[in-house]
Amino acid sequence: MEEWGPLVAAVAGIWPKVTDQLSDPELGEFEGQLLAPLRVFDEARESVVRDASTDAEPPSGTVDSTDPSEAVDSAARAVAAVFRARPPLGEWLTEEFDRLSGELERFGPADPPPFWPVQLRSLQIPVMYATDRAGRTSKTAPLTYGSERGRLSYGQATVSVPDEHRVGAVDKPRWWRLRFRPDPVRDVLLASTAAMTADDFADGVRRQLDQCAARHALVFVHGFNVSFADAAVHAAQLAYDLNFTGPVLLYSWPSKGSVLDYPADGDAARRSVPYFQEFLRRLLTGTGVDEVHVIAHSMGNRVLTDGLAGLDTRALPEGSGRLGHVVFAAPDVDGDVFRQLLPGILRQAGHSTLYVSARDRALAVSRNLADFPRAGQAGDSVIVVPGLDTVDVTELGTDLLGHSYVGNHRNVLADVYGLLHHGRTPSQRYGLTRVSHADGDYWSFQPQK
């Protein structure tokens, strides 16, 4: 698999220098030491490739607790150790590995904004947040937020995204655990959290906007079963993958972060609506923003739809920002309720897009619990309304649950990219076909080849 290619390529790249450095007897001994870990490394890679290419279940009665990717990492470290035992071969391998890593996908095509500091070959993305989770502090632990309900509070979370981050993936590629330097940046992770007053929050967003060519901001509202840390990471990942260079904001409501707490999360989302409205009002009126784009996922759409239904952003004071693109991603909202609330939302937003799927297993469970279709489901219950672009992602396959496609599928991310950056209509975006419906037309991704 390509994720582990750089190690093999790095060994091949420095091999001429190795043969010049070592005498014939030394080279023979070195090759003998290298052969065994290389063979283990190759076998581990083949095992992962084999596992990835089949959906077959393991034989009945077998138990295998070994992660094949961990086996690859272990074998790769063994290969590296053979080189490090013979200076300067280890340094050469590190340099070649780093050179090859420079050819990996990076943030682009635009440059990252100046308020995203670079540290340890990673970007430190500030995620400005508002939350009605209760904060947790202690003398030994930094500020964090759990699932308990609290009052509205503000702050900034810093998320570290390594240079080798791949679009649509929160975790870095597995092979990067082979990084040959101390204190490596290995994952997309929440690095720090700092509380702010409401005024400091608004001033912070304003300072970021002052460094942007366009005074646009992106708000992410997470869904069910999501911790605060995961929500901050997903917000940063979306901004990175969408090459969004304005302020990134998160609204985090007190999800319990457990699949067993679905009813409680529904109540928590409903409770968060007035807090979300207060946050959005402050963002639009107190920061100097021109346009705010919003992406809500799953149950987070309950916060968004109810929030916008009860807050007419067009009636805010003169000079306030406006809603730009509003993206409803796999909304876990009663379909009939969604239809009822849409007219008021569509009048406020510059453009509205609904992503749906007939393979969304999470929404299928939600429908069974509620007895009514969800707004994020395709098929017979698909929602088609004038002024709303409905996009069916069923043919993309997506993830195991078919629920997180907006954040982890390249095709959908590319579609949102065309929407946010260029304002392209569905007919102008790649891979979408028009589908006729009794209520009008909607759009569908073509089947994957």
Side-chain angles (χ1 to χ4, degrees), residues 325-399:
H325 295 285
V326 174
V327 177
F328 307 102
D332 186 359
V333 180
D334 182 286
D336 289 338
V337 172
F338 189 78
R339 285 187 177 90
Q340 292 169 358
L341 299 180
L342 264 181
I345 296 173
L346 296 180
R347 285 193 293 268
Q348 300 181 59
H351 189 272
S352 298
T353 304
L354 167 65
Y355 286 96
V356 300
S357 173
R359 296 182 180 177
D360 192 323
R361 294 177 178 85
L363 291 188
V365 172
S366 177
R367 174 176 180 163
N368 289 336
L369 290 173
D371 290 334
F372 293 100
R374 305 287 92 186
Q377 291 185 293
D380 295 340
S381 61
V382 66
I383 294 176
V384 180
V385 174
L388 174 71
D389 288 333
T390 299
V391 179
D392 185 354
V393 308
T394 300
E395 294 295 344
L396 294 181
T398 68
D399 57 277

Side-chain angles (χ1 to χ4, degrees), residues 219-224 238 242 294-302 304-305 325-333 338 352-357 360 362-363 374-377 388-391 393 402-408 412-413 415-416 419:
V219 173
F220 175 63
V221 186
H222 65 80
F224 159 68
L238 269 176
L242 294 173
V294 185
I295 299 176
H297 179 243
S298 187
M299 195 178 284
N301 282 276
R302 300 188 191 183
L304 175 63
T305 53
H325 295 285
V326 174
V327 177
F328 307 102
D332 186 359
V333 180
F338 189 78
S352 298
T353 304
L354 167 65
Y355 286 96
V356 300
S357 173
D360 192 323
L363 291 188
R374 305 287 92 186
Q377 291 185 293
L388 174 71
D389 288 333
T390 299
V391 179
V393 308
H403 190 56
S404 301
Y405 46 79
V406 169
N408 66 16
V412 184
L413 285 165
D415 197 61
V416 178
L419 184 67

Side-chain angles (χ1 to χ4, degrees), residues 270-309:
R270 187 175 301 112
R271 174 187 177 273
S272 297
V273 170
Y275 295 122
F276 174 76
Q277 292 172 331
E278 183 179 342
F279 151 72
L280 189 59
R281 186 183 295 109
R282 181 175 297 277
L283 176 61
L284 290 170
T285 62
T287 64
V289 69
D290 288 338
E291 197 164 78
V292 172
H293 310 300
V294 185
I295 299 176
H297 179 243
S298 187
M299 195 178 284
N301 282 276
R302 300 188 191 183
V303 179
L304 175 63
T305 53
D306 286 349
L308 292 182

Side-chain angles (χ1 to χ4, degrees), residues 140-351:
T140 58
L143 172 65
T144 187
Y145 297 89
S147 60
E148 297 82 8
R149 298 176 178 185
R151 309 299 293 179
L152 182 63
S153 60
Y154 297 90
Q156 176 182 306
T158 301
V159 177
S160 176
V161 181
D163 288 346
E164 70 277 5
H165 168 72
R166 299 298 182 108
V167 169
V170 171
D171 294 325
K172 65 169 187 62
R174 286 292 214 151
W175 61 263
W176 196 246
R177 293 183 185 182
L178 184 62
R179 186 189 288 264
F180 303 127
R181 292 186 176 175
D183 301 322
V185 177
R186 296 181 173 181
D187 302 297
V188 181
L189 52 85
L190 176 60
S192 64
T193 307
M196 292 179 167
T197 66
D199 289 341
D200 287 343
F201 169 84
D203 289 343
V205 175
R206 183 184 292 275
R207 285 193 297 272
Q208 292 183 8
L209 288 167
D210 289 343
Q211 301 177 68
C212 299
R215 300 183 71 84
H216 292 186
L218 176 64
V219 173
F220 175 63
V221 186
H222 65 80
F224 159 68
N225 188 25
V226 177
S227 68
F228 176 84
D230 286 344
V233 164
H234 281 290
Q237 181 226 334
L238 269 176
Y240 188 106
D241 291 349
L242 294 173
N243 196 207
F244 188 84
T245 56
V248 184
L249 299 105
L250 165 70
Y251 190 85
S252 182
W253 51 279
S255 167
K256 287 188 172 297
S258 169
V259 295
L260 300 179
D261 289 309
Y262 183 85
D265 271 17
D267 290 339
R270 187 175 301 112
R271 174 187 177 273
S272 297
V273 170
Y275 295 122
F276 174 76
Q277 292 172 331
E278 183 179 342
F279 151 72
L280 189 59
R281 186 183 295 109
R282 181 175 297 277
L283 176 61
L284 290 170
T285 62
T287 64
V289 69
D290 288 338
E291 197 164 78
V292 172
H293 310 300
V294 185
I295 299 176
H297 179 243
S298 187
M299 195 178 284
N301 282 276
R302 300 188 191 183
V303 179
L304 175 63
T305 53
D306 286 349
L308 292 182
L311 171 67
D312 187 353
T313 58
R314 300 169 303 167
L316 294 174
E318 184 178 354
S320 298
R322 63 187 183 275
L323 286 179
H325 295 285
V326 174
V327 177
F328 307 102
D332 186 359
V333 180
D334 182 286
D336 289 338
V337 172
F338 189 78
R339 285 187 177 90
Q340 292 169 358
L341 299 180
L342 264 181
I345 296 173
L346 296 180
R347 285 193 293 268
Q348 300 181 59
H351 189 272

